Each structure stands twice: as structure tokens, then as C-alpha cells.
Amino acid sequence: MVKKILRWGGLAFLVFFIAYRPQSAANIVSSIGGGLLDIANGFGEFFASVFNS
């Protein structure tokens, strides 16, 4: 029951945040995407150096 309330509360907050602060929400998504891209590039460089040695 608590998980269900937290899930719906989180979803409501997300919708509220996007509706009332769209620029801030876009900046957060952009930052997360950039971080994930950096992580993927790091893994790619690691495996490239492992297999090229």
C-alpha cells in the first residue's frame, strides 16, 4: 500500500514539476542524459583499450 502511494505521489510531483517548471525539468533531463552519455563513452573507451592491447 505504501509503495502504491509513493509511486502515485511521485508521478503527481513529476507532472506538477513539468507543468509549472518546464525549463527546469528540461535542464534536469538534459543533465541526466549527458551523464549517461559520459558513462557510455567511458565504457566504450575502456573496452576499446582492453581489446586493442
Side-chain angles (χ1 to χ4, degrees), residues 29-52:
V29 171
S30 177
S31 296
I32 292 171
L36 292 174
L37 186 61
D38 289 341
I39 290 170
N41 284 336
F43 275 108
E45 290 178 17
F46 170 74
F47 285 115
S49 66
V50 167
F51 291 119
N52 288 332

Side-chain angles (χ1 to χ4, degrees), residues 1 3-4 8-10 13 17 23 30 33-34 39 44 49 51-52:
M1 182 69 168
K3 281 174 57 174
K4 192 175 195 180
W8 282 108
F13 176 74
F17 187 64
Q23 187 63 40
S30 177
I39 290 170
S49 66
F51 291 119
N52 288 332

